[in-house]
Amino acid sequence: TRIIEWCFNIPFYDTLSFMLDICDKIKYRHYDDKSVLTEDSYIEGVRVRIYDAVNATKVPQSNRKALVLFFHGGGFFFGGIGSHDTMNYYLAKYSGTKVVTVDYRLSPGVRYPDAIDDSVRVTRYILQHSQKYNVDLTRVFLAGDSAGANLAIIVERRLRNELFYPIRAEILLYPLMQLVNYMLPSYQKYLKYELLSVVTEDFLYQVPNYYLNTTFERSKLFKNQHLSKQDLNKFYSIINKQWLNQSDINDRSYDSNKPLSDDYYITSTNECHPDTSKLFHDDISPLLSSTNIISQTPSTFLVSCEYDVLLSDSLLYWKRLKDAHVEVEYRHYYIFHGAMTFVDWPVTFTDAFEIIEDSAEFIRNKI
């Protein structure tokens, strides 16, 4: 996709999305044993794919099914139903639930908050028409990976005061939790390995620019030079620096015997980028939300990956959930960011399937 961009000036994300769509259309589900029925549809003008597990075992038999609404990752600017099709097929099969994946509109074709609005509309419609979709309102889960996990959190918060029954739980797979600080331990450790993770500098710096229509420069963003000292003080008034030096937080992300120096957090200027304030919004960086907001979070299944730029985000969110007395089950896997898209030919990883199986087990235990 990069070569095509260089040669023909077609944005790489457009080519990537086109390739994913084509692969989805011609895909042969060699693993399909008819235990999951699939259907593409539109809800409130948004494309969705519905996976309905039939003859489910290890789950309570009832007239109405538990529902999982899944929001795909991709930095808000690529990915879709096709990129996570196999993953959601198996999630429905293993959990015995109905899974609905939301093909929300992508940036830069649209900007914030359109992806959130699409996701909220679909979720609200299904819950308001639960009889039509044969789902149990007392057993509704919100799930997502990376940017999709970010959306799952925000959708629950947006609908929190509307729902007659609360969301049963959230399943957050290697979530994108903040767009403020790009010098957290895992960023420093893994960004330099360009092929180690799906998330690289080239990808990550585009996320705020595409999603929020900002103008951050790559060279400054990863040195935190888009932040003023006041911005960093604001960040660390919420995120305690000491957390980054505690063994239960950092043992997987960097050498615990080598605490971070304050130099990691000091920018070269007292002025911030004019767009920086957008990054602190609760919808963009849910990690930084108030304790009151976080304390109302449903039970959470939180997954982190070892080889992931966003590992520190997951660990810090786990810490905030625990401190807010939210029930959280945390799992860590020795695989890289974006693993949920590597569960089918030509590249599959055992750990990726383990994440799906463990997520399904968490859901089964909750229903």
Side-chain angles (χ1 to χ4, degrees):
T1 61
R2 287 300 189 185
I3 292 173
I4 291 173
E5 185 175 60
W6 293 331
C7 294
F8 304 104
N9 201 31
I10 299 174
F12 77 93
Y13 50 83
D14 282 347
T15 305
L16 188 56
S17 295
F18 175 78
M19 291 169 61
L20 290 171
D21 287 342
I22 292 297
C23 289
D24 186 50
K25 288 183 174 67
I26 65 175
K27 177 179 181 178
Y28 171 66
R29 286 200 184 101
H30 58 89
Y31 49 81
D32 187 3
D33 58 4
K34 307 305 178 184
S35 62
V36 176
L37 304 178
T38 61
E39 175 191 0
D40 285 5
S41 183
Y42 283 85
I43 297 177
E44 293 288 278
V46 181
R47 186 184 175 211
V48 299
R49 180 166 292 169
I50 302 171
Y51 303 80
D52 194 356
V54 295
N55 301 321
T57 59
K58 300 182 182 179
V59 295
Q61 296 299 315
S62 61
N63 292 330
R64 294 198 178 186
K65 287 190 174 177
L67 170 69
V68 179
L69 282 139
F70 185 87
F71 309 97
H72 68 83
F76 306 108
F77 68 87
F78 80 93
I81 286 176
S83 61
H84 290 67
D85 175 68
T86 305
M87 177 255 171
N88 281 297
Y89 178 96
Y90 281 108
L91 182 63
K93 178 177 179 177
Y94 295 157
S95 65
T97 62
K98 179 170 288 189
V99 176
V100 177
T101 62
V102 182
D103 206 18
Y104 57 86
R105 289 172 292 169
L106 301 175
S107 60
V110 299
R111 308 287 187 174
Y112 164 83
D114 288 354
I116 295 173
D117 291 344
D118 288 354
S119 302
V120 168
R121 285 204 316 276
V122 170
T123 304
R124 180 187 289 120
Y125 184 89
I126 293 176
L127 299 186
Q128 289 176 345
H129 299 82
S130 59
Q131 189 170 0
K132 173 182 177 181
Y133 292 98
N134 193 35
V135 297
D136 182 350
L137 289 176
T138 67
R139 299 185 293 159
V140 176
F141 300 79
L142 300 182
D145 71 320
S146 192
N150 181 297
L151 288 175
I153 293 170
I154 304 308
V155 167
E156 188 278 328
R157 292 179 182 179
R158 291 278 187 97
L159 295 177
R160 187 175 286 170
N161 296 325
E162 296 182 26
L163 302 180
F164 191 75
Y165 297 102
I167 296 298
R168 179 65 64 92
E170 295 176 350
I171 296 92
L172 310 178
L173 311 180
Y174 43 85
L176 173 65
M177 294 304 307
Q178 59 90 29
L179 292 177
V180 175
N181 191 336
Y182 293 84
M183 294 191 70
L184 293 172
S186 59
Y187 288 69
Q188 297 176 52
K189 182 172 183 178
Y190 291 125
L191 274 176
K192 59 187 176 183
Y193 297 109
E194 286 292 322
L195 296 179
L196 182 63
S197 171
V198 173
V199 179
T200 63
E201 278 191 16
D202 193 40
F203 174 95
L204 195 55
Y205 97 97
Q206 297 288 15
V207 173
N209 288 342
Y210 290 161
Y211 189 44
L212 302 175
N213 198 24
T214 54
T215 57
F216 295 111
E217 297 178 32
R218 173 176 173 171
S219 60
K220 293 184 177 181
L221 196 68
F222 295 104
K223 296 178 181 178
N224 274 353
Q225 291 177 353
H226 62 298
L227 302 175
S228 66
K229 291 181 180 179
Q230 289 75 21
D231 292 324
L232 282 172
N233 288 336
K234 181 179 179 180
F235 183 91
Y236 287 109
S237 69
I238 303 168
I239 301 300
N240 190 330
K241 281 187 185 181
Q242 296 304 313
W243 293 349
L244 299 172
N245 292 326
Q246 293 174 4
S247 60
D248 59 346
I249 289 290
N250 68 30
D251 60 350
R252 295 187 181 94
S253 56
Y254 72 106
D255 184 357
S256 60
N257 295 317
K258 190 177 181 181
L260 293 177
S261 160
D262 281 347
D263 292 341
Y264 283 98
Y265 309 110
I266 296 176
T267 60
S268 60
T269 175
N270 287 321
E271 296 182 0
C272 67
H273 189 282
D275 290 325
T276 294
S277 61
K278 297 179 181 180
L279 306 180
F280 281 92
H281 195 286
D282 283 344
D283 286 353
I284 308 304
S285 297
L287 172 66
L288 305 180
S289 297
S290 69
T291 300
N292 179 55
I293 291 175
I294 288 182
S295 67
Q296 299 176 62
T297 302
S299 175
T300 300
F301 183 75
L302 178 62
V303 165
S304 66
C305 296
E306 174 66 21
Y307 310 107
D308 185 4
V309 171
L310 305 185
L311 173 57
S312 293
D313 296 35
S314 296
L315 293 170
L316 291 171
Y317 192 55
W318 168 74
K319 177 66 174 172
R320 292 216 65 193
L321 290 173
K322 285 192 66 177
D323 287 355
H325 306 292
V326 174
E327 181 185 15
V328 55
E329 183 173 334
Y330 172 70
R331 299 287 184 90
H332 184 74
Y333 301 85
Y334 285 84
I335 197 170
F336 52 86
H337 190 95
M340 291 299 90
T341 57
F342 294 93
V343 290
D344 198 3
W345 184 90
V347 182
T348 61
F349 291 94
T350 303
D351 278 11
F353 275 100
E354 187 177 344
I355 294 174
I356 299 172
E357 291 168 354
D358 290 347
S359 299
E361 181 181 19
F362 172 82
I363 292 169
R364 292 198 306 271
N365 290 338
K366 288 293 182 181
I367 60 178

